[in-house]
Amino acid sequence: MFYYKVAVIGSVLEPLTYHFSSELSLGSEVVVLLQNKEKKGVVVEHTTQPTFKTLSIINTTQFFYTQQQRKLASFISSYCFCSVAEAFGLM
């Protein structure tokens, strides 16, 4: 089992921890459940197994954010005082 921090696109929340059965690359666009609704998100970090129960990533899409796009989202979030997920929503 692999664990990831996922920025749910357009959300004000900080990245949330999800798990998936196979390894994913940073920047992969995925589909996750948030409040019982399917939402798109971006894998922003690999992480270790947390002490709490995590939800599974439903599936992956063909879309991928490059390292430059991820850096831009990080810059936007710090400059505009918004979450990384909101910054990804602008792209």
Side-chain angles (χ1 to χ4, degrees), residues 33-59:
L33 275 180
L34 181 64
Q35 297 182 338
N36 293 321
K37 294 180 184 173
E38 289 188 4
K39 303 281 187 175
K40 289 184 179 178
V42 181
V43 174
V44 293
E45 184 182 335
H46 299 273
T47 189
T48 58
Q49 182 175 1
T51 57
F52 51 87
K53 185 178 178 182
T54 60
L55 294 175
S56 177
I57 293 172
I58 297 171
N59 62 27

mmCIF file of all heavy atoms in Angstrom, residues 33-59:
data_model
loop_
_atom_site.group_PDB
_atom_site.id
_atom_site.type_symbol
_atom_site.label_atom_id
_atom_site.label_comp_id
_atom_site.label_asym_id
_atom_site.label_seq_id
_atom_site.Cartn_x
_atom_site.Cartn_y
_atom_site.Cartn_z
ATOM 1 N N LEU A 33 -12.627 10.568 -2.907
ATOM 2 C CA LEU A 33 -13.882 10.919 -2.250
ATOM 3 C C LEU A 33 -13.623 11.980 -1.191
ATOM 4 O O LEU A 33 -12.699 11.847 -0.381
ATOM 5 C CB LEU A 33 -14.503 9.701 -1.569
ATOM 6 C CG LEU A 33 -15.360 8.781 -2.414
ATOM 7 C CD1 LEU A 33 -15.897 7.640 -1.577
ATOM 8 C CD2 LEU A 33 -16.506 9.521 -3.075
ATOM 9 N N LEU A 34 -14.447 13.038 -1.200
ATOM 10 C CA LEU A 34 -14.413 14.062 -0.170
ATOM 11 C C LEU A 34 -15.857 14.400 0.138
ATOM 12 O O LEU A 34 -16.583 14.849 -0.747
ATOM 13 C CB LEU A 34 -13.643 15.296 -0.637
ATOM 14 C CG LEU A 34 -13.520 16.416 0.372
ATOM 15 C CD1 LEU A 34 -12.701 15.970 1.586
ATOM 16 C CD2 LEU A 34 -12.867 17.644 -0.251
ATOM 17 N N GLN A 35 -16.268 14.136 1.360
ATOM 18 C CA GLN A 35 -17.655 14.328 1.791
ATOM 19 C C GLN A 35 -18.622 13.566 0.877
ATOM 20 O O GLN A 35 -19.629 14.098 0.421
ATOM 21 C CB GLN A 35 -18.005 15.807 1.844
ATOM 22 C CG GLN A 35 -17.183 16.566 2.871
ATOM 23 C CD GLN A 35 -17.562 18.027 2.944
ATOM 24 O OE1 GLN A 35 -18.134 18.593 2.009
ATOM 25 N NE2 GLN A 35 -17.232 18.648 4.060
ATOM 26 N N ASN A 36 -18.271 12.312 0.590
ATOM 27 C CA ASN A 36 -19.076 11.393 -0.227
ATOM 28 C C ASN A 36 -19.301 11.872 -1.664
ATOM 29 O O ASN A 36 -20.261 11.457 -2.310
ATOM 30 C CB ASN A 36 -20.421 11.094 0.443
ATOM 31 C CG ASN A 36 -20.233 10.315 1.718
ATOM 32 O OD1 ASN A 36 -19.382 9.434 1.789
ATOM 33 N ND2 ASN A 36 -21.001 10.642 2.738
ATOM 34 N N LYS A 37 -18.442 12.745 -2.155
ATOM 35 C CA LYS A 37 -18.507 13.201 -3.540
ATOM 36 C C LYS A 37 -17.166 12.938 -4.196
ATOM 37 O O LYS A 37 -16.122 13.114 -3.580
ATOM 38 C CB LYS A 37 -18.824 14.699 -3.611
ATOM 39 C CG LYS A 37 -20.196 15.041 -3.094
ATOM 40 C CD LYS A 37 -20.431 16.520 -3.185
ATOM 41 C CE LYS A 37 -21.784 16.857 -2.565
ATOM 42 N NZ LYS A 37 -21.991 18.302 -2.487
ATOM 43 N N GLU A 38 -17.197 12.534 -5.452
ATOM 44 C CA GLU A 38 -15.956 12.326 -6.191
ATOM 45 C C GLU A 38 -15.376 13.669 -6.606
ATOM 46 O O GLU A 38 -16.063 14.499 -7.194
ATOM 47 C CB GLU A 38 -16.198 11.454 -7.421
ATOM 48 C CG GLU A 38 -16.495 10.014 -7.072
ATOM 49 C CD GLU A 38 -16.548 9.106 -8.287
ATOM 50 O OE1 GLU A 38 -16.284 9.575 -9.424
ATOM 51 O OE2 GLU A 38 -16.867 7.928 -8.101
ATOM 52 N N LYS A 39 -14.115 13.875 -6.269
ATOM 53 C CA LYS A 39 -13.415 15.116 -6.593
ATOM 54 C C LYS A 39 -12.072 14.783 -7.223
ATOM 55 O O LYS A 39 -11.464 13.765 -6.902
ATOM 56 C CB LYS A 39 -13.155 15.943 -5.322
ATOM 57 C CG LYS A 39 -14.386 16.300 -4.534
ATOM 58 C CD LYS A 39 -15.090 17.446 -5.168
ATOM 59 C CE LYS A 39 -16.235 17.911 -4.261
ATOM 60 N NZ LYS A 39 -16.880 19.095 -4.772
ATOM 61 N N LYS A 40 -11.617 15.665 -8.087
ATOM 62 C CA LYS A 40 -10.282 15.503 -8.667
ATOM 63 C C LYS A 40 -9.259 16.117 -7.712
ATOM 64 O O LYS A 40 -9.535 17.103 -7.039
ATOM 65 C CB LYS A 40 -10.191 16.173 -10.032
ATOM 66 C CG LYS A 40 -10.966 15.444 -11.091
ATOM 67 C CD LYS A 40 -10.768 16.065 -12.438
ATOM 68 C CE LYS A 40 -11.552 15.298 -13.489
ATOM 69 N NZ LYS A 40 -11.424 15.909 -14.809
ATOM 70 N N GLY A 41 -8.089 15.497 -7.697
ATOM 71 C CA GLY A 41 -7.015 15.989 -6.853
ATOM 72 C C GLY A 41 -5.678 15.753 -7.515
ATOM 73 O O GLY A 41 -5.583 15.094 -8.544
ATOM 74 N N VAL A 42 -4.625 16.299 -6.898
ATOM 75 C CA VAL A 42 -3.268 16.185 -7.418
ATOM 76 C C VAL A 42 -2.383 15.584 -6.331
ATOM 77 O O VAL A 42 -2.403 16.047 -5.187
ATOM 78 C CB VAL A 42 -2.711 17.561 -7.820
ATOM 79 C CG1 VAL A 42 -1.310 17.433 -8.386
ATOM 80 C CG2 VAL A 42 -3.629 18.239 -8.816
ATOM 81 N N VAL A 43 -1.619 14.562 -6.684
ATOM 82 C CA VAL A 43 -0.658 13.972 -5.748
ATOM 83 C C VAL A 43 0.477 14.974 -5.575
ATOM 84 O O VAL A 43 1.177 15.296 -6.533
ATOM 85 C CB VAL A 43 -0.118 12.624 -6.272
ATOM 86 C CG1 VAL A 43 0.979 12.102 -5.361
ATOM 87 C CG2 VAL A 43 -1.242 11.612 -6.405
ATOM 88 N N VAL A 44 0.641 15.481 -4.343
ATOM 89 C CA VAL A 44 1.668 16.493 -4.099
ATOM 90 C C VAL A 44 2.826 15.976 -3.246
ATOM 91 O O VAL A 44 3.869 16.629 -3.167
ATOM 92 C CB VAL A 44 1.070 17.768 -3.447
ATOM 93 C CG1 VAL A 44 0.151 18.474 -4.409
ATOM 94 C CG2 VAL A 44 0.364 17.449 -2.154
ATOM 95 N N GLU A 45 2.634 14.807 -2.623
ATOM 96 C CA GLU A 45 3.696 14.302 -1.751
ATOM 97 C C GLU A 45 3.498 12.818 -1.479
ATOM 98 O O GLU A 45 2.373 12.352 -1.341
ATOM 99 C CB GLU A 45 3.646 15.080 -0.428
ATOM 100 C CG GLU A 45 4.714 14.756 0.562
ATOM 101 C CD GLU A 45 4.544 15.555 1.859
ATOM 102 O OE1 GLU A 45 3.941 16.645 1.831
ATOM 103 O OE2 GLU A 45 5.023 15.062 2.880
ATOM 104 N N HIS A 46 4.610 12.081 -1.404
ATOM 105 C CA HIS A 46 4.590 10.701 -0.922
ATOM 106 C C HIS A 46 4.696 10.783 0.597
ATOM 107 O O HIS A 46 5.404 11.644 1.117
ATOM 108 C CB HIS A 46 5.787 9.906 -1.456
ATOM 109 C CG HIS A 46 5.820 9.800 -2.945
ATOM 110 N ND1 HIS A 46 5.167 8.806 -3.630
ATOM 111 C CD2 HIS A 46 6.410 10.575 -3.877
ATOM 112 C CE1 HIS A 46 5.370 8.965 -4.922
ATOM 113 N NE2 HIS A 46 6.118 10.046 -5.102
ATOM 114 N N THR A 47 4.016 9.906 1.313
ATOM 115 C CA THR A 47 4.080 9.940 2.765
ATOM 116 C C THR A 47 4.082 8.520 3.329
ATOM 117 O O THR A 47 3.855 7.560 2.598
ATOM 118 C CB THR A 47 2.922 10.788 3.347
ATOM 119 O OG1 THR A 47 3.123 10.979 4.735
ATOM 120 C CG2 THR A 47 1.573 10.147 3.094
ATOM 121 N N THR A 48 4.333 8.407 4.608
ATOM 122 C CA THR A 48 4.319 7.105 5.264
ATOM 123 C C THR A 48 2.919 6.807 5.773
ATOM 124 O O THR A 48 2.062 7.689 5.818
ATOM 125 C CB THR A 48 5.299 7.087 6.451
ATOM 126 O OG1 THR A 48 4.921 8.129 7.363
ATOM 127 C CG2 THR A 48 6.725 7.303 5.992
ATOM 128 N N GLN A 49 2.704 5.570 6.174
ATOM 129 C CA GLN A 49 1.389 5.169 6.676
ATOM 130 C C GLN A 49 1.065 5.943 7.946
ATOM 131 O O GLN A 49 1.828 5.922 8.910
ATOM 132 C CB GLN A 49 1.359 3.675 6.957
ATOM 133 C CG GLN A 49 0.004 3.196 7.430
ATOM 134 C CD GLN A 49 -0.050 1.679 7.596
ATOM 135 O OE1 GLN A 49 0.932 0.983 7.384
ATOM 136 N NE2 GLN A 49 -1.198 1.190 7.982
ATOM 137 N N PRO A 50 -0.061 6.643 7.965
ATOM 138 C CA PRO A 50 -0.429 7.412 9.158
ATOM 139 C C PRO A 50 -1.035 6.498 10.230
ATOM 140 O O PRO A 50 -1.336 5.334 9.973
ATOM 141 C CB PRO A 50 -1.469 8.400 8.627
ATOM 142 C CG PRO A 50 -2.080 7.702 7.461
ATOM 143 C CD PRO A 50 -0.993 6.849 6.862
ATOM 144 N N THR A 51 -1.239 7.055 11.403
ATOM 145 C CA THR A 51 -1.829 6.295 12.506
ATOM 146 C C THR A 51 -3.347 6.201 12.393
ATOM 147 O O THR A 51 -3.969 5.429 13.104
ATOM 148 C CB THR A 51 -1.476 6.947 13.856
ATOM 149 O OG1 THR A 51 -1.939 8.306 13.838
ATOM 150 C CG2 THR A 51 0.022 6.916 14.088
ATOM 151 N N PHE A 52 -3.943 6.980 11.509
ATOM 152 C CA PHE A 52 -5.397 6.980 11.318
ATOM 153 C C PHE A 52 -5.759 6.244 10.030
ATOM 154 O O PHE A 52 -4.915 5.989 9.181
ATOM 155 C CB PHE A 52 -5.936 8.416 11.286
ATOM 156 C CG PHE A 52 -5.209 9.321 10.325
ATOM 157 C CD1 PHE A 52 -5.590 9.393 8.991
ATOM 158 C CD2 PHE A 52 -4.140 10.084 10.754
ATOM 159 C CE1 PHE A 52 -4.922 10.213 8.107
ATOM 160 C CE2 PHE A 52 -3.455 10.922 9.870
ATOM 161 C CZ PHE A 52 -3.847 10.989 8.544
ATOM 162 N N LYS A 53 -7.028 5.916 9.900
ATOM 163 C CA LYS A 53 -7.531 5.221 8.720
ATOM 164 C C LYS A 53 -7.644 6.213 7.557
ATOM 165 O O LYS A 53 -8.087 7.341 7.738
ATOM 166 C CB LYS A 53 -8.895 4.618 9.033
ATOM 167 C CG LYS A 53 -9.467 3.772 7.935
ATOM 168 C CD LYS A 53 -10.797 3.166 8.342
ATOM 169 C CE LYS A 53 -11.368 2.351 7.200
ATOM 170 N NZ LYS A 53 -12.679 1.784 7.539
ATOM 171 N N THR A 54 -7.245 5.768 6.362
ATOM 172 C CA THR A 54 -7.319 6.629 5.181
ATOM 173 C C THR A 54 -8.273 6.039 4.152
ATOM 174 O O THR A 54 -8.515 4.833 4.144
ATOM 175 C CB THR A 54 -5.930 6.797 4.529
ATOM 176 O OG1 THR A 54 -5.446 5.514 4.140
ATOM 177 C CG2 THR A 54 -4.951 7.461 5.473
ATOM 178 N N LEU A 55 -8.782 6.907 3.298
ATOM 179 C CA LEU A 55 -9.608 6.469 2.181
ATOM 180 C C LEU A 55 -8.711 6.148 1.000
ATOM 181 O O LEU A 55 -7.599 6.664 0.882
ATOM 182 C CB LEU A 55 -10.595 7.563 1.787
ATOM 183 C CG LEU A 55 -11.671 7.914 2.799
ATOM 184 C CD1 LEU A 55 -12.499 9.100 2.300
ATOM 185 C CD2 LEU A 55 -12.563 6.723 3.052
ATOM 186 N N SER A 56 -9.233 5.333 0.109
ATOM 187 C CA SER A 56 -8.488 4.939 -1.077
ATOM 188 C C SER A 56 -8.707 5.941 -2.208
ATOM 189 O O SER A 56 -9.775 6.535 -2.335
ATOM 190 C CB SER A 56 -8.945 3.556 -1.537
ATOM 191 O OG SER A 56 -8.290 3.190 -2.723
ATOM 192 N N ILE A 57 -7.677 6.130 -3.017
ATOM 193 C CA ILE A 57 -7.826 6.885 -4.258
ATOM 194 C C ILE A 57 -8.674 6.022 -5.181
ATOM 195 O O ILE A 57 -8.395 4.838 -5.360
ATOM 196 C CB ILE A 57 -6.438 7.179 -4.876
ATOM 197 C CG1 ILE A 57 -5.667 8.140 -3.973
ATOM 198 C CG2 ILE A 57 -6.579 7.716 -6.292
ATOM 199 C CD1 ILE A 57 -4.220 8.357 -4.379
ATOM 200 N N ILE A 58 -9.734 6.592 -5.756
ATOM 201 C CA ILE A 58 -10.666 5.821 -6.581
ATOM 202 C C ILE A 58 -10.004 5.389 -7.884
ATOM 203 O O ILE A 58 -10.031 4.223 -8.254
ATOM 204 C CB ILE A 58 -11.954 6.618 -6.852
ATOM 205 C CG1 ILE A 58 -12.675 6.888 -5.524
ATOM 206 C CG2 ILE A 58 -12.860 5.878 -7.821
ATOM 207 C CD1 ILE A 58 -13.830 7.850 -5.637
ATOM 208 N N ASN A 59 -9.433 6.341 -8.599
ATOM 209 C CA ASN A 59 -8.685 6.016 -9.823
ATOM 210 C C ASN A 59 -7.813 7.190 -10.223
ATOM 211 O O ASN A 59 -7.837 8.241 -9.591
ATOM 212 C CB ASN A 59 -9.614 5.588 -10.974
ATOM 213 C CG ASN A 59 -10.575 6.671 -11.396
ATOM 214 O OD1 ASN A 59 -10.309 7.843 -11.245
ATOM 215 N ND2 ASN A 59 -11.714 6.282 -11.944
#
